[in-house]
Amino acid sequence: MASQDHSYLHKKVMPIGTVCELTGLSERQIRYYEERKLIFPQRTDKGNRKYSFSDVESLMEIANKMEDGIQTAEIRKELLKRKEKNSEESLRNTMIKGQLNAQFHKGSIR
Amino acid sequence: MASQDHSYLHKKVMPIGTVCELTGLSERQIRYYEERKLIFPQRTDKGNRKYSFSDVESLMEIANKMEDGIQTAEIRKELLKRKEKNSEESLRNTMIKGQLNAQFHKGSIR
DNA sequence: CGTGTAAGGAATTCTGACACG
DNA sequence: CGTGTAAGGAATTCTGACACG
């Protein structure tokens, strides 16, 4: 419930040109990382990509890893692991909340 | 020093089309409010406007006032007043800091 | 005053491909 | 594998103007 939603952080609002300036990457690179499933911009109804600030942050991490000679396939694996971890965490949190809720209704708390 | 800098909030990153979607205003309206000096987008080297999330917030305030029948000249005056207030406030803060600093160096504090 | 619109041009973005290594 | 580039088209944005009220 406080996991994210920094409201603006995840809003897809900027065109690829802005992302180039912010990250120092070329359009080619940015589109390629999307092709390799490392980032997921939104599309307008007519096909133009829109990115969020968190996409920009991701791209900067990716750029660093690429400089270290890590391949896109590797980077994708790391992302998947991170995703798993987050799911586990949120599952755990959900369960804890469930426990608390049960205690609350039993009257043990409050 | 903690006055703003929500980092992303003031970064000029989005094109006018995105702003239209976010605010529900037309390009014409957005450009007109700029002409009336209510908002100040950045320009790319080739003349394209770039807006920040705070610009979007301003525009939504402006839109509300326009609906209430307030004229752009009035709205601009309100903005100027707000600006004055902020300057006063930051001047006051600066002075307080100066006082504290003086006390500190005199050795009265610490 | 505030906003819609047609006009014409300039800048942006898109895709698929060829190239190099 | 990762990235540059030329190619051609489509979508976006820009300005100045005319219109209406």
Side-chain angles (χ1 to χ4, degrees):
Chain A
M1 228 169 207
S3 169
Q4 40 174 245
D5 187 42
H6 283 299
S7 50
Y8 296 148
L9 185 56
H10 295 90
K11 255 196 150 90
K12 309 277 188 175
V13 298
M14 44 185 135
I16 197 165
T18 302
V19 179
C20 289
E21 284 182 3
L22 261 40
T23 62
L25 298 169
S26 67
E27 295 188 11
R28 185 70 167 93
Q29 289 174 304
I30 295 171
R31 294 203 193 99
Y32 181 65
Y33 300 153
E34 175 183 359
E35 187 183 319
R36 303 314 313 278
K37 303 209 158 63
L38 302 182
I39 46 167
F40 309 91
Q42 262 183 15
R43 294 290 186 128
T44 62
D45 47 334
K46 287 156 186 167
N48 281 46
R49 278 167 265 247
K50 288 294 175 199
Y51 301 84
S52 66
F53 278 109
S54 74
D55 288 329
V56 171
E57 291 182 359
S58 298
L59 281 167
M60 299 185 75
E61 275 192 58
I62 292 169
N64 284 332
K65 291 179 183 169
M66 292 300 288
E67 278 181 25
D68 295 348
I70 305 181
Q71 294 190 321
T72 56
E74 287 303 314
I75 299 177
R76 184 161 64 252
K77 282 179 198 166
E78 292 178 30
L79 290 181
L80 289 177
K81 275 183 198 164
R82 209 184 295 181
K83 211 174 173 183
E84 273 177 44
K85 246 188 219 161
N86 288 338
S87 316
E88 278 173 36
E89 205 173 296
S90 79
L91 174 60
R92 183 161 17 94
N93 286 333
T94 301
M95 291 180 69
I96 289 171
K97 272 178 208 149
Q99 286 298 110
L100 281 172
N101 205 253
Q103 290 306 115
F104 179 83
H105 285 296
K106 265 177 57 186
S108 311
I109 301 179
R110 242 241 117 209
Chain B
M1 229 167 208
S3 169
Q4 40 174 246
D5 187 43
H6 284 298
S7 50
Y8 296 147
L9 185 56
H10 295 90
K11 257 203 150 87
K12 307 277 190 176
V13 298
M14 45 184 135
I16 197 165
T18 302
V19 179
C20 289
E21 284 183 3
L22 261 40
T23 62
L25 297 169
S26 68
E27 295 188 11
R28 184 68 166 96
Q29 289 174 304
I30 295 171
R31 294 204 193 99
Y32 181 66
Y33 300 152
E34 175 184 359
E35 188 184 316
R36 303 312 315 277
K37 303 211 158 62
L38 302 183
I39 47 168
F40 309 91
Q42 262 184 13
R43 293 289 187 130
T44 65
D45 48 334
K46 286 155 187 167
N48 281 47
R49 277 168 266 248
K50 288 295 176 197
Y51 302 84
S52 67
F53 279 110
S54 73
D55 288 329
V56 171
E57 291 183 357
S58 299
L59 282 168
M60 298 185 76
E61 276 192 58
I62 292 169
N64 284 332
K65 292 179 183 169
M66 292 300 287
E67 278 182 24
D68 295 348
I70 306 180
Q71 294 191 322
T72 57
E74 287 303 312
I75 299 177
R76 184 160 65 251
K77 282 178 198 166
E78 291 179 32
L79 290 181
L80 289 177
K81 275 184 199 163
R82 210 184 294 181
K83 212 175 172 182
E84 273 176 45
K85 246 190 222 163
N86 288 338
S87 315
E88 278 173 36
E89 205 174 295
S90 78
L91 174 60
R92 182 159 18 94
N93 285 333
T94 301
M95 292 180 70
I96 289 173
K97 272 179 208 148
Q99 286 298 109
L100 281 171
N101 207 253
Q103 291 305 115
F104 178 84
H105 285 295
K106 266 176 58 187
S108 311
I109 301 181
R110 239 241 120 210

